[in-house]
Amino acid sequence: MLCAPKMGPFLLNAVRWLARGQTGKVGVNTRLNNLCPLLSGHGLECSLEPHLTSNLCVYCCVAYSDKEAKELQQFVAEGGGLLIGGQAWWWASQNPGHSPLAGFPGNHILNCFGLSILGQSLNPGRFPLPTPKMRSYHFRKALSEFQAILNNEGGNLEKSWLAKLGIDGAAFLQIPAEGIPAYTSLHRLLRKMLRQSGLPSVSRENPVAGDSCEAAVLFLATELAHSGTDCSQLAQGLGTGTCSSSLYPSEHPITVQINGTNPGNSDSWVSTGLYLLDGQNAEVSLSEAAASAGLKVQIGCHTDDLTSASKLSRAPVVTHQCCMNRTKRSVSCLWGGLLYIIVPKGSALGLVSVTIRRAVPAPYYKLGQTSQEEWKKCIQENPAPWGELATDNIILTVPTANLCALEDPEPLLHLWDEMMQAIARLAAGPFPFRCPERIVADVQISAGWMHSGYPIMCHLESVQELINETGIRSRGLWGAIHELGHNQQRPGWEIPPHTTEATCNLWSVYVHEMVLGISRAHAHPALSPPEREKRIKKHLDKGAPLQDWNVWTALETYLQLQEGFGWEPFSQLFAEYQTLSRLPKDNAGRMNLWVKKFSEKVQKNLVPFFEAWGWPVQKEVADSLACLPKWQENPMRVYLQAKK
């Protein structure tokens, strides 16, 4: 954007404004070499410079390096003009667990000026010139009004201001305040405000509006605790209702062995079996070798960010990560939570000893390791509010209240492992899984009834069906397997948005039929034969438009292939796709590759079948498959003939 010709008038105005009343030329960093001709072409004296020099009135650079941070800050302090820009979202994606406001190189330059670049991105578009009313919001002004409200001194804040204040305040608190008196004073002010006001009790029974004073307090208190404020000061009288009042953190250190090897493709959470109470600090210790291996500590597993929710049944952010880059660290989270060690992908540490002080044991059952007697004792003696049921392939995180009724988790977890093995078999993936999948229940999640990811998130209402072996065997478990299916989808053969909510259901059907013995017709109402036939006819009556080929309609295409050729071609193709390079990035290319690969796998010409569904089969693909025998049992033929 700092070199875009369409931005020319803005850039010229900005540089002229920065240069006003000063002598000297404009220096343009060599990483912005296209900006120099744009400026010089309009009469500005400028030159390309590899770094800041003394004879400049304005310096233009990008925000991706902080090598000259001190020099640039001094340059501005002495009256120099600085035009700087960049985005921090890529840095944020590559540095999970680190705040871009504190760690992004450009922010090392900008923070002390009262400016920062956030890790989020905006949707592109045209934006109106701010009106005086739009410009009236200011963080300090809003904070002053907010303080008056909390102190019952009147105060007047629009709801839009309140919502913005909570988010802005949370972002501001991520900026290191040390050495910046204006920031330090604000931290002090916020601590005082929140200690005086106290934290709102938020729960499903007592929700708060997302644009309310209570929500703003939740935002600010969470980040204030993360910034180093003693959590216990803020948490006094905290009414979350999640922990028994009889729970006290132990001063005796607890040492746990965690697996520091992670052959997976992403960072993995390793459970410690311990819980940190609301507002408490825990001390985590490990060896020097482990401290240099990129491990992190995470408090809490409810990772959905509810910042944009209109109603809150819990604080918007209730988990916290910090890097274990030294042998001993104090960690805390205002809202408490299960304790995890995050092991980076590719780690080969083996067994690692982690010693934790001031945490309490939580219910934890590991298939093949925990005896029934140990489980009974664990449930009776570890009343932390959340616990986990684990195998090498799946970990279920649910409220302890639900676990108390589970006398013997072994049959349930054997069934889960059977289902996970089936998921791996269809996906042509390794079993045991390189990294166990996780399903976490929460009082509120960011999207849908459940959603995929790591972890898969679900509502508390789903817990009972997740841990009821008899219910799973008799009624099935469509939703959870659907989300696990999402986690198996791969870009090479996915056709978004058409198959996003379709191919994941291949795993739902497969697990229900192959493990649970529940036919597809009974696994989900949408797969009853009359419903399937009605959908096919409706789609063909419209001319099989590709834009309508979605969800159940799209799934039907794959189910017809499966009913014609079995499951084996799918798992074989999923395996082959893992070996292919230079896969098409566009939908038409992906569809044609699937037509070609599936036809070759089953040794039938499937072009007429896919064309009947409205797929855009290319001539060269059709020609290459013409030598294969026709699929005589093509299930679409009867519908097409009926139309004629």
Side-chain angles (χ1 to χ4, degrees):
M1 288 182 73
L2 291 177
C3 298
K6 285 185 177 181
M7 292 287 287
F10 170 81
L11 294 168
L12 287 164
N13 286 342
V15 171
R16 285 171 178 149
W17 180 80
L18 288 165
R20 191 165 49 194
Q22 299 181 74
T23 58
K25 60 183 179 180
V26 176
V28 179
N29 187 272
T30 47
R31 289 186 69 177
L32 288 173
N33 59 325
N34 289 337
L35 177 60
C36 213
L38 191 151
L39 298 177
S40 57
H42 287 80
L44 288 169
E45 184 186 353
C46 65
S47 62
L48 284 173
E49 305 286 349
H51 51 77
L52 182 66
T53 58
S54 59
N55 61 335
L56 302 177
C57 67
V58 177
Y59 187 57
C60 308
C61 63
V62 288
Y64 303 121
S65 169
D66 58 2
K67 285 183 180 177
E68 294 186 290
K70 287 185 177 177
E71 292 85 349
L72 286 169
Q73 288 162 358
Q74 188 66 31
F75 173 68
V76 173
E78 293 173 354
L82 178 64
L83 179 68
I84 182 170
Q87 45 80 13
W89 62 264
W90 175 252
W91 187 94
S93 73
Q94 298 305 298
N95 293 272
H98 297 263
S99 167
L101 287 110
F104 177 61
N107 285 335
H108 293 163
I109 299 166
L110 293 169
N111 280 344
C112 65
F113 301 145
L115 299 167
S116 294
I117 299 172
L118 295 172
Q120 295 98 310
S121 57
L122 291 172
N123 292 325
R126 299 170 71 91
F127 298 91
L129 191 68
T131 63
K133 186 179 179 183
M134 290 167 68
R135 284 198 296 266
S136 63
Y137 170 86
H138 189 277
F139 177 51
R140 287 296 297 256
K141 183 179 175 184
L143 193 61
S144 177
E145 293 290 333
F146 184 59
Q147 184 180 16
I149 293 171
L150 293 186
N151 292 341
N152 296 313
E153 297 170 357
N156 182 29
L157 270 177
E158 297 176 25
K159 288 200 169 184
S160 60
W161 276 35
L162 262 175
K164 188 164 172 54
L165 175 65
I167 296 167
D168 286 355
F172 163 75
L173 287 165
Q174 294 173 34
I175 302 170
E178 190 178 346
I180 308 177
Y183 290 5
T184 307
S185 69
L186 267 182
H187 277 246
R188 210 162 38 236
L189 172 68
L190 285 165
R191 275 196 295 272
K192 182 180 177 183
M193 285 167 55
L194 296 182
R195 275 201 299 267
Q196 287 178 346
S197 72
L199 298 183
S201 174
V202 58
S203 63
R204 175 176 290 178
E205 295 72 32
N206 186 32
V208 302
D211 56 3
S212 65
C213 275
E214 291 86 354
V217 168
L218 294 173
F219 275 111
L220 293 168
T222 300
E223 281 303 335
L224 196 59
H226 293 170
S227 72
T229 293
D230 184 357
C231 276
S232 61
Q233 294 180 343
L234 295 172
Q236 288 175 359
L238 185 62
T240 58
T242 55
C243 287
S244 165
S245 57
S246 64
L247 275 179
Y248 295 99
S250 171
E251 287 296 329
H252 297 292
I254 301 171
T255 298
V256 295
Q257 298 283 324
I258 66 113
N259 183 1
T261 298
N262 177 11
N265 297 320
S266 58
D267 294 356
S268 70
W269 307 359
V270 180
S271 305
T272 64
L274 299 173
Y275 189 92
L276 184 62
L277 301 175
D278 301 348
Q280 297 289 333
N281 286 18
E283 188 180 86
V284 182
S285 307
L286 37 70
S287 68
E288 286 194 13
S292 59
L295 300 178
K296 300 189 190 83
V297 178
Q298 177 171 298
I299 306 159
C301 53
H302 301 98
T303 50
D304 273 11
D305 187 339
L306 307 180
T307 296
S308 58
S310 59
K311 185 172 73 173
L312 297 170
S313 295
R314 65 159 169 83
V317 177
V318 292
T319 58
H320 184 46
Q321 271 190 18
C322 54
C323 299
M324 280 303 297
N325 50 9
R326 51 180 187 256
T327 56
K328 189 176 289 187
R329 181 181 281 280
S330 177
V331 300
S332 64
C333 178
L334 189 56
W335 312 106
L338 290 165
L339 278 165
Y340 301 89
I341 303 298
I342 308 297
V343 180
K345 63 181 178 182
S347 174
L349 277 176
L351 284 179
V352 176
S353 291
V354 181
T355 301
I356 300 169
R357 195 187 298 269
R358 292 191 295 278
V360 298
Y364 184 81
Y365 184 99
K366 178 68 183 283
L367 183 64
Q369 293 181 13
T370 310
S371 70
Q372 193 170 352
E373 282 304 310
E374 287 170 331
W375 173 244
K376 285 181 181 177
K377 186 179 176 184
C378 179
I379 284 292
Q380 290 166 1
E381 298 180 3
N382 301 342
W386 291 85
E388 295 189 316
L389 303 171
T391 79
D392 288 334
N393 306 289
I394 185 80
I395 300 171
L396 309 176
T397 306
V398 299
T400 300
N402 295 98
L403 294 175
C404 288
L406 195 61
E407 289 187 12
D408 183 8
E410 185 176 358
L412 168 73
L413 293 180
H414 274 305
L415 175 58
W416 267 105
D417 257 7
E418 282 184 63
M419 294 190 292
M420 296 307 292
Q421 186 169 20
I423 286 168
R425 189 164 57 241
L426 180 58
F431 187 83
F433 278 55
R434 292 193 183 99
C435 174
E437 295 274 17
R438 285 181 175 272
I439 302 179
V440 174
D442 197 349
V443 67
Q444 183 178 359
I445 64 177
S446 59
W449 182 246
M450 291 185 178
H451 69 72
S452 58
Y454 184 81
I456 292 166
M457 297 298 302
C458 69
H459 289 277
L460 292 174
E461 287 85 348
S462 298
V463 168
Q464 206 48 52
E465 66 180 16
L466 295 176
I467 63 171
N468 184 338
E469 184 218 355
T470 305
I472 293 171
R473 290 192 183 278
S474 61
R475 295 186 295 274
L477 195 66
W478 187 274
I481 308 302
H482 170 98
E483 303 305 343
L484 287 162
H486 272 306
N487 285 359
Q488 308 309 313
Q489 290 172 319
R490 296 295 179 264
W493 45 264
E494 265 299 285
I495 309 163
H498 304 285
T499 58
T500 304
E501 295 298 329
T503 51
C504 57
N505 286 328
L506 289 172
W507 278 268
S508 298
V509 172
Y510 186 77
V511 168
H512 279 76
E513 294 192 339
M514 306 301 285
V515 178
L516 303 177
I518 301 173
S519 69
R520 62 196 65 186
H522 293 98
H524 197 286
L527 295 184
S528 68
E531 285 296 314
R532 291 177 63 184
E533 188 167 345
K534 188 163 62 176
R535 265 195 310 274
I536 296 170
K537 288 179 177 176
K538 184 178 178 182
H539 188 62
L540 293 179
D541 286 345
K542 291 189 291 185
L546 194 57
Q547 67 265 25
D548 290 349
W549 186 73
N550 294 296
V551 195
W552 300 108
T553 305
L555 177 65
E556 186 62 37
T557 304
Y558 296 90
L559 290 182
Q560 287 182 341
L561 289 172
Q562 188 279 323
E563 287 161 353
F565 302 105
W567 289 109
E568 199 60 30
F570 285 91
S571 55
Q572 289 174 353
L573 274 183
F574 293 149
E576 185 178 341
Y577 267 83
Q578 294 170 36
T579 67
L580 299 177
S581 57
R582 296 183 181 178
L583 288 163
K585 289 187 167 46
D586 63 296
N587 280 351
R590 288 172 177 169
M591 294 171 98
N592 276 275
L593 183 61
W594 182 264
V595 171
K596 184 174 172 58
K597 289 289 180 186
F598 210 102
S599 294
E600 291 170 348
K601 190 65 64 180
V602 300
Q603 285 297 291
K604 298 285 183 186
N605 181 358
L606 301 180
V607 170
F609 168 76
F610 284 105
E611 286 181 334
W613 276 109
W615 282 37
V617 182
Q618 295 163 351
K619 185 178 184 302
E620 54 267 34
V621 170
D623 290 346
S624 71
L625 299 173
C627 58
L628 292 174
K630 289 180 180 179
W631 185 20
Q632 299 294 347
E633 299 84 3
N634 179 354
M636 295 300 283
R637 184 181 298 165
V638 63
Y639 294 101
L640 294 173
Q641 288 173 345
K643 279 191 72 179
K644 289 178 183 177

